[in-house]
Amino acid sequence: MSLDRIFSNIAGYMEQYLVLPVLFHFHWMAWGDLAFDWCLICVYGLFAVLLTYAVCVPLEYWYPVERWPDRKAVLVDVFYTLLNRVGVVPVITFVLFYHVQTWTTGFLVERGFIPPTLESLIPFLLGRPLLTFLIYALILDFAEYWRHRLSHSFRWWYALHALHHAQRQMSFWSDDRNHLIDDIISFLWFFVIGLIINIPPVQFPLLVLGLKFIESLSHANIRLSFGPLEWLIVSPRFHRFHHGLRAAGRNSCNYASVFPVWDVLFRTADFQDKYLPTGDARAPEALVTGSYVTQQVTGLKLFWQALGKSWASLGIGRAA
Ligand SMILES: [Zn+2]
Ligand SMILES: [Zn+2]
């Protein structure tokens, strides 16, 4: 039985015995048509987490950069990952993307405009789904490079992103460790780019999963670089340099999530073969070892303070 078929079967069971009864109970059957897709996304998400786990756990055990006396600080990152990859977030992402994309396409077609797809713009791509998929991935990753780089450039934005950098025990679980507001900004950013380049709704969650696998691996506590291929895919060494204690803050390097080519092109790449300790020396301890809620609240406070400073420097909010 193919993997696809196994996923569909599991999703089918979930739909039949879990989701449909809940929808029925709350009189939400209008959503029934999408129930199977929701389940499939959860199953894919769970599979992606398990795959990442199966690849990274042995590597972190055999080739760690650091060995920690206890791994308590890692636990909160596990929570972030499950919430973001298997929980409600991917379902909301998909449902929203599906609806907004169907609505905008319908709106435009009614007015006589057929939105172009990558294949209609570049006919060479017709019948080459893998290449098309790769180009979509490159475009999304380019957008991600600039989002990440900008999040280091603005005081208020870095105040949020500091939560991601605060982790001293960085592991493959750390990728999703982000402030909720930062997550919403990333989501909207990704979402709008996905709409502009007209990604087919079914490919969107798959693209996200594929890119996320590389991102998780790049956070792993593994002494691993891709040697002469370091410029091709972001390695744990490459991204660790971005998280290096000295690099943390508003001037950093190695911003790319998946393809380091953006750092090479925009001159922010650093290929030194070093494995630095990670963290942000200026981050308050609550942001480092606090619970999920403590981290979110502390992040919000820092964000608010930074906004105040940014406004003050613009001359907004001064006493009249
Ligand atoms: Zn960063
Ligand atoms: Zn990171």
Side-chain angles (χ1 to χ4, degrees):
M1 204 190 306
S2 73
L3 210 56
D4 252 13
R5 186 113 206 98
I6 296 173
F7 288 161
S8 303
N9 282 349
I10 302 173
Y13 281 117
M14 266 178 78
E15 179 198 20
Q16 205 178 338
Y17 296 109
L18 193 77
V19 181
L20 286 180
V22 172
L23 292 180
F24 185 76
H25 181 82
F26 290 102
H27 304 288
W28 289 340
M29 283 311 277
W31 292 98
D33 283 351
L34 284 175
F36 179 75
D37 290 327
W38 296 355
C39 297
L40 202 58
I41 290 165
C42 285
V43 175
Y44 274 126
L46 195 63
F47 174 74
V49 171
L50 289 175
L51 185 72
T52 316
Y53 188 87
V55 171
C56 293
V57 166
L59 287 174
E60 285 196 342
Y61 182 77
W62 283 314
Y63 310 105
V65 178
E66 296 169 342
R67 288 201 188 271
W68 306 309
D70 72 72
R71 299 170 59 88
K72 247 192 256 157
V74 175
L75 258 181
V76 68
D77 292 359
V78 177
F79 180 73
Y80 277 104
T81 303
L82 293 178
L83 191 71
N84 274 286
R85 306 265 173 115
V86 192
V88 279
V89 178
V91 171
I92 295 174
T93 313
F94 173 72
V95 171
L96 263 179
F97 190 77
Y98 179 85
H99 277 276
V100 177
Q101 218 233 20
T102 322
W103 183 85
T104 41
T105 310
F107 180 83
L108 293 172
V109 169
E110 257 176 39
R111 277 148 191 81
F113 177 76
I114 312 241
T117 61
L118 216 50
E119 279 114 326
S120 67
L121 288 174
I122 314 169
F124 174 77
L125 294 175
L126 275 169
R128 293 183 168 85
L130 258 170
L131 192 60
T132 315
F133 196 79
L134 184 72
I135 295 180
Y136 279 132
L138 271 166
I139 300 172
L140 285 176
D141 195 54
F142 171 76
E144 188 58 14
Y145 168 86
W146 279 106
R147 186 200 59 76
H148 187 194
R149 192 165 162 185
L150 290 175
S151 75
H152 279 260
S153 311
F154 294 99
R155 198 198 307 256
W156 61 268
W157 207 345
Y158 188 73
L160 294 171
H161 187 49
L163 199 163
H164 181 70
H165 279 274
Q167 180 60 285
R168 292 189 292 258
Q169 295 190 355
M170 192 174 82
S171 70
F172 70 94
W173 295 108
S174 305
D175 181 40
D176 286 296
R177 176 194 174 89
N178 289 303
H179 197 276
L180 213 58
I181 301 175
D182 209 9
D183 272 338
I184 294 171
I185 300 172
S186 314
F187 166 73
L188 289 174
W189 188 280
F190 226 65
F191 194 86
V192 170
I193 304 283
L195 277 180
I196 294 173
I197 61 174
N198 207 4
I199 298 179
V202 193
Q203 289 202 14
F204 192 67
L206 283 180
L207 266 166
V208 175
L209 285 181
L211 298 177
K212 286 278 177 191
F213 175 77
I214 307 283
E215 285 181 27
S216 293
L217 182 70
S218 75
H219 285 92
N221 172 27
I222 310 172
R223 197 170 282 279
L224 175 69
S225 89
F226 299 151
L229 297 181
E230 273 287 278
W231 59 272
L232 198 63
I233 296 277
V234 168
S235 70
R237 187 220 55 87
F238 187 87
H239 193 63
R240 191 179 183 88
F241 213 87
H242 173 72
H243 276 264
L245 250 179
R246 273 178 302 146
R250 285 167 58 199
N251 282 319
S252 189
C253 58
N254 298 6
Y255 295 101
S257 299
V258 177
F259 303 111
V261 64
W262 309 124
D263 280 299
V264 176
L265 271 177
F266 300 111
R267 299 178 180 280
T268 47
D270 195 325
F271 288 111
Q272 283 183 66
D273 194 23
K274 284 183 183 162
Y275 294 84
L276 307 173
T278 65
D280 183 342
R282 282 172 304 174
E285 196 56 27
L287 219 49
V288 189
T289 45
S291 67
Y292 174 83
V293 176
T294 311
Q295 292 185 6
Q296 294 296 318
V297 172
T298 312
L300 194 65
K301 278 185 199 153
L302 292 173
F303 169 63
W304 196 245
Q305 286 164 5
L307 261 189
K309 280 184 194 158
S310 301
W311 280 337
S313 66
L314 289 172
I316 303 170
R318 278 191 198 141

